[in-house]
Amino acid sequence: MNNISKSDWQLFNKLLPEWQERYMNRLNQEYKRILDGDGSAANKFWKLEKRIKADRKSPGVIVEASRRSMFQILLQLISQKVITDEDLNGFSEELRDMINDVVK
């Protein structure tokens, strides 16, 4: 989708860092559970290393955003449960409808 409105793009740029921070806070809590879990220190270390390596690929952690890729990024954020439908409040009805059409 290439016809992203200026207001949707500006809102996306404002909210993306907040969404990522919230998501990384959730990941940190999950990492703590791994470290506090049962098993040897080495096993926990390697389990955590593998998990962080996988999580780094999520747009909830790192993403190169452009206006052209915004729609796809929003879909990825929703599918990976980084954001919910409620997080799209404030975006244009047109954009929310297009996302809902794809997600549902």
Side-chain angles (χ1 to χ4, degrees):
M1 183 180 145
N2 294 329
N3 56 343
I4 299 294
S5 71
K6 182 177 181 179
S7 61
D8 282 340
W9 174 241
Q10 288 172 335
L11 183 57
F12 175 78
N13 279 309
K14 177 184 178 247
L15 293 176
L16 181 62
E18 295 172 20
W19 294 337
Q20 288 175 313
E21 183 69 20
R22 183 180 68 200
Y23 181 66
M24 285 187 270
N25 186 51
R26 191 169 80 209
L27 290 177
N28 286 338
Q29 298 306 312
E30 293 173 18
Y31 299 159
K32 285 179 188 178
R33 284 192 288 279
I34 290 170
L35 292 172
D36 291 339
D38 294 333
S40 70
N43 285 341
K44 290 189 277 188
F45 174 87
W46 291 114
K47 182 177 182 178
L48 182 59
E49 191 271 341
K50 180 179 179 181
R51 175 71 190 272
I52 290 172
K53 189 174 182 179
D55 289 339
R56 288 182 54 138
K57 297 174 184 172
S58 168
V61 177
I62 297 173
V63 67
E64 289 186 33
S66 69
R67 199 165 176 171
R68 179 176 291 231
S69 65
M70 183 183 125
F71 184 76
Q72 187 64 34
I73 292 168
L74 286 170
L75 292 175
Q76 290 173 325
L77 291 170
I78 289 171
S79 72
Q80 294 180 9
K81 299 186 182 358
V82 174
I83 63 173
T84 66
D85 289 337
E86 290 179 8
D87 290 309
L88 299 179
N89 291 339
F91 286 93
S92 68
E93 188 173 331
E94 177 186 18
L95 177 64
R96 290 191 321 261
D97 287 346
M98 286 188 291
I99 287 175
N100 285 329
D101 287 346
V102 173
V103 172
K104 308 230 180 274

